[in-house]
Amino acid sequence: MQNESTIAAAEIPVSESAKRTEMIHEDTTAKLFLLSSVTYFFIVGIIALLIAAKFVMPSFLGTIPQLTYGRLRPLHVNGMLFGWLLACDMALMYYVVPRLCGVKLWSEKLGIATGVLWNVIILSAVVSFLMGWNQGWEYAELPLILDVGVVLAWVMFGANVFMTIANRKYQAMYVTLWYAMGTILWTAFVYLTGNFATLFTTGVNQANLNWMYVHNAVGLIFTPVGLAIAYYFIPKASNTPLYSHKLSMIGFWSLAFVYVWTGAHHMLHGPISQWLQTITIVFSVMLLIPVWAAVYNFFATMKGQWHQLRDNVSLKFLMSGVVFYLLTCFQGPMHSLHVVNAIVSKTDWIPGHAHMAVLGAFSFFAIAGTYYALPRLFNTELYSDALANWSFWLLLIGGLGFFVTLWLGGFWQGWQWNNPAIPFIDTVVALQPVWAVRLGSGFLMFGGIVAFGYNVLATVLGAKGSGVEANPAEVAA
Amino acid sequence: MDYTYPSVYFAYFFFLIVAIGALYFFVKSYRDGYWGDEGEEIKYRIFEEEELGGENGRK
C-alpha cells in the first residue's frame, strides 16, 4: 500500500535507516507484564463468574468466609483493574514507547524489577482479600502496605517511561506519548488522593475524595492509557495514518481540563454543597468534547478502511472498543443530570456502565494491542486467527448482554426504589431475571477470555526462535 | 485534630500548581509546533520502523 507514510519513510537518510535496523528491542519487561496480565484475566474471570452466580443463587458456596461475596467482590474488582487491565496497559506502554521514541527502553532491569514487584503486589492482594484484610473503600480496598508498593512500582514505571522519552531520537512526540505521560502523572495524583488523602479526612469530605478517586481511576488512569493504545494501534493495525494529530491534541487537553471535576456526580442528591453538584454536572457534560474529539478522529481514520474489519481481529476489538467508549461516555454525562441520577444512582445501571468502560472499551483496546504486539514480541505468528475471532464474538455478545441487561435493569430497579409502595425485598426478587441474564452473559464473556488466554499461551509456547521474522501483514490479520 | 481547613487549602494550592503546569505545557506545545502547519507530520512516524527493518527493528 503506497500511502503518505511510505513517502515520509522514504525521505529518511540511508544512514538513519541503517542505524535503526541495528536496534533490537529486548521487550523482556513487556513480555513479563503481558503474560502476567493475561493470566490474571483468566483467574479473576473465574472469580467474576462466582460472584455473578451468587446473585442468582445467594446460598452458592455456602458460608465459607473466603468465598463470601464481600471478599470475592473486591478481589474481582482489584484483580481486573490492576492485575489484568493496568498491567496489560503497562505492557503495551513498554512495547509502544521505545518504538515511538526510536530508542530502546531506558532500563530493562528496572522494568523487570517493576514487573516482579507488581506481581508480588497482586498475589499479596489475592491473599489479603480472601483473608478479609481490606480498607473498605471502593477501588481502594488494598491494605496500606500494598498501597505503598503500588506507589513504588508506579514511580519505577514512570521513571522508565519518562527517561525513555527524554532520550528519544525525535523531538516531536506522537499523541500516544502525550497520553502515556499524562497517565503517569494523573495516576500518581489520583492514586495518592484515593488511597492516602482519604485517611486524613472525615465524613462528606472523605466520601467526596473517594468518589473523585473511583471515577478518575477510570477517567484519568484507564481512559488516557486506553486512548494512548488506541491512537497507536488503530493506525498501525489498519496501516492508515491518523486522521488529525491536531484534533488528538484538542482531545488530550480538553480531557486534562474537564475530567478531574466529574467524580462528585456520584454524590448527587447527597449531602454535598450545591455549587459542587452544579460544577460536577457542567464538567460531566463537557466530557462530550474530549470524547467526541477522540471518537471522530478514530472514525475518520477508518474512512475507506472499514472493509479491513472483516479479516483483522485487532481492528475488530479496537473499533468495537471505540463504539463502547462513545456509548459509555454518553451514559456518564447523562448519569450526572439530576433527573436521570435520581433514577439510576446506586442501581445495577452503575456496574453496567462501569463494565462498558473497563471491559467494553479499555479491555477491548488492551486485547487488540495484545493480539497485535504478541506475535512481534515473540517473533512468531498468532496461534489461531479463528480462535481470536471466537474470543472477539464471545466477548462482544456476552458484553452486550451484560451491559444492556444491567442498563435496562438498573432503570427498572430505580423506578421501583422510587415507589415507596414497593417493599425493598420485592425489588430484589424482581431483579432475578436480570441477574440470570447477567450470569449467562458472564459465561459467554469468560468463554472469550479462555479463547484469548489459550491463544496467547499457544502463541508463546509455539514461538519460533529469535531471528525468524514473522510476516507483519499476516500477523496483523 | 480537624484536617478540613488544611486539606482545603492544600487542595487549592495543589490545583494552582496543576493549573500552572498545564498552562506551561500547553504554551510549550504551541511553541514546539504541535498546532502549526507541520503539526500533522508526526502521525506518519509510527509507520517508519516497520518499513525500515521490521516491527521489532530486526532485519
Side-chain angles (χ1 to χ4, degrees):
Chain A
M1 175 181 171
Q2 178 73 18
N3 56 24
E4 292 177 73
S5 64
T6 316
I7 297 165
E11 288 170 355
I12 289 179
V14 176
S15 56
E16 279 278 310
S17 162
K19 260 190 277 179
R20 198 166 305 146
T21 51
E22 288 167 7
M23 187 179 62
I24 296 177
H25 296 287
E26 287 180 32
D27 292 323
T28 314
T29 310
K31 292 174 187 171
L32 173 60
F33 267 96
L34 200 67
L35 295 182
S36 308
S37 66
V38 175
T39 306
Y40 294 129
F41 198 19
F42 172 75
I43 294 170
V44 182
I46 297 172
I47 306 295
L49 275 182
L50 293 180
I51 60 177
K54 281 173 173 284
F55 274 89
V56 181
M57 300 168 286
S59 58
F60 178 57
L61 298 178
T63 54
I64 304 167
Q66 286 76 18
L67 299 178
T68 51
Y69 183 85
R71 296 196 185 180
L72 292 181
R73 202 263 181 181
L75 177 55
H76 164 62
V77 171
N78 287 270
M80 282 299 184
L81 290 183
F82 301 109
W84 148 243
L85 187 53
L86 193 55
C88 188
D89 288 342
M90 290 163 79
L92 294 172
M93 287 300 101
Y94 280 119
Y95 172 84
V96 166
V97 170
R99 284 164 174 78
L100 280 177
C101 292
V103 295
K104 288 184 178 182
L105 183 68
W106 182 60
S107 171
E108 285 287 349
K109 285 180 182 170
L110 180 63
I112 293 166
T114 313
V116 171
L117 176 58
W118 198 262
N119 276 285
V120 169
I121 292 165
I122 300 301
L123 293 173
S124 303
V126 173
V127 174
S128 127
F129 290 144
L130 289 179
M131 295 305 293
W133 303 328
N134 86 62
Q135 297 199 82
W137 287 100
E138 180 91 2
Y139 286 20
E141 291 95 344
L142 283 181
L144 196 58
I145 184 71
L146 296 184
D147 289 338
V148 174
V150 171
V151 171
L152 180 62
W154 197 255
V155 169
M156 293 160 73
F157 170 66
N160 223 344
V161 170
F162 270 104
M163 287 307 294
T164 305
I165 293 173
N167 292 331
R168 70 189 183 278
K169 186 181 287 182
Y170 317 105
Q171 176 60 29
M173 293 182 292
Y174 184 64
V175 61
T176 292
L177 295 179
W178 285 80
Y179 274 109
M181 291 190 293
T183 303
I184 290 166
L185 294 176
W186 295 328
T187 299
F189 161 59
V190 169
Y191 196 84
L192 289 174
T193 305
N195 291 274
F196 296 94
T198 45
L199 302 176
F200 297 96
T201 52
T202 54
V204 172
N205 289 328
Q206 196 178 37
N208 260 330
L209 278 181
N210 178 246
W211 277 109
M212 196 286 285
Y213 164 66
V214 172
H215 197 271
N216 288 311
V218 177
L220 286 177
I221 299 177
F222 295 108
T223 295
V225 74
L227 290 176
I229 290 166
Y231 273 117
Y232 181 82
F233 286 105
I234 288 176
K236 289 291 272 188
S238 65
N239 199 26
T240 309
L242 183 70
Y243 168 70
S244 169
H245 198 270
K246 287 178 193 169
L247 185 58
S248 72
M249 289 283 97
I250 292 172
F252 175 85
W253 285 105
S254 54
L255 183 139
F257 180 64
V258 302
Y259 230 124
V260 77
W261 293 99
T262 58
H265 71 218
H266 289 274
M267 298 279 287
L268 292 178
H269 301 291
I272 65 170
S273 54
Q274 281 298 317
W275 67 264
L276 185 55
Q277 295 194 33
T278 305
I279 281 181
T280 196
I281 292 170
V282 170
F283 276 83
S284 295
V285 173
M286 283 168 67
L287 268 182
L288 292 170
I289 298 170
V291 171
W292 186 241
V295 170
Y296 183 84
N297 219 348
F298 296 142
F299 282 161
T301 300
M302 287 299 292
K303 187 177 180 185
Q305 303 295 331
W306 290 101
H307 63 278
Q308 292 194 46
L309 288 181
R310 193 171 52 231
D311 306 316
N312 192 323
V313 174
S314 287
L315 265 186
K316 281 178 188 168
F317 272 109
L318 285 163
M319 296 317 295
S320 303
V322 171
V323 173
F324 283 134
Y325 177 60
L326 175 63
L327 288 175
T328 196
C329 289
F330 178 75
Q331 282 186 326
M334 294 305 107
H335 167 234
S336 74
L337 301 178
H338 269 128
V339 286
V340 180
N341 192 276
I343 301 168
V344 300
S345 184
K346 318 294 185 292
T347 68
D348 276 21
W349 188 94
I350 301 294
H353 168 61
H355 278 77
M356 194 188 286
V358 176
L359 173 70
F362 304 126
S363 287
F364 271 33
F365 290 159
I367 293 169
T370 302
Y371 274 135
Y372 185 93
L374 189 74
R376 290 162 170 83
L377 282 170
F378 288 89
N379 218 8
T380 184
E381 294 178 13
L382 191 65
Y383 170 69
S384 168
D385 288 342
L387 202 56
N389 268 307
W390 271 103
S391 69
F392 170 74
W393 287 109
L394 285 168
L395 279 164
L396 181 73
I397 295 169
L400 277 172
F402 188 99
F403 311 145
V404 174
T405 305
L406 289 194
W407 180 43
L408 296 175
F411 268 101
W412 187 29
Q413 193 178 28
W415 281 321
Q416 292 180 72
W417 285 355
N418 279 300
N419 183 348
I422 301 177
F424 177 76
I425 191 63
D426 288 358
T427 71
V428 176
V429 174
L431 263 283
Q432 283 294 319
V434 170
W435 294 328
V437 176
R438 173 187 180 146
L439 177 60
S441 303
F443 275 110
L444 289 176
M445 287 190 284
F446 185 67
I449 293 172
V450 171
F452 169 62
Y454 184 76
N455 217 350
V456 169
L457 183 69
T459 302
V460 173
L461 292 179
K464 295 165 185 151
S466 180
V468 181
E469 179 64 21
N471 182 348
E474 287 175 12
V475 178
Chain B
M1 181 179 172
D2 183 3
Y3 291 98
T4 302
Y5 280 97
S7 65
V8 167
Y9 290 129
F10 174 78
Y12 287 155
F13 176 67
F14 190 85
F15 282 125
L16 181 68
I17 293 173
V18 172
I20 291 171
L23 191 64
Y24 168 78
F25 282 109
F26 182 79
V27 171
K28 192 172 186 308
S29 75
Y30 182 80
R31 286 184 174 176
D32 287 346
Y34 287 94
W35 305 92
D37 294 337
E38 296 178 357
E40 292 297 327
E41 290 182 10
I42 310 163
K43 67 188 181 189
Y44 301 113
R45 183 174 315 131
I46 65 171
F47 298 100
E48 290 175 8
E49 288 236 355
E50 199 157 28
E51 288 158 6
L52 292 177
E55 174 65 15
N56 299 357
R58 296 185 176 99
K59 292 178 186 176

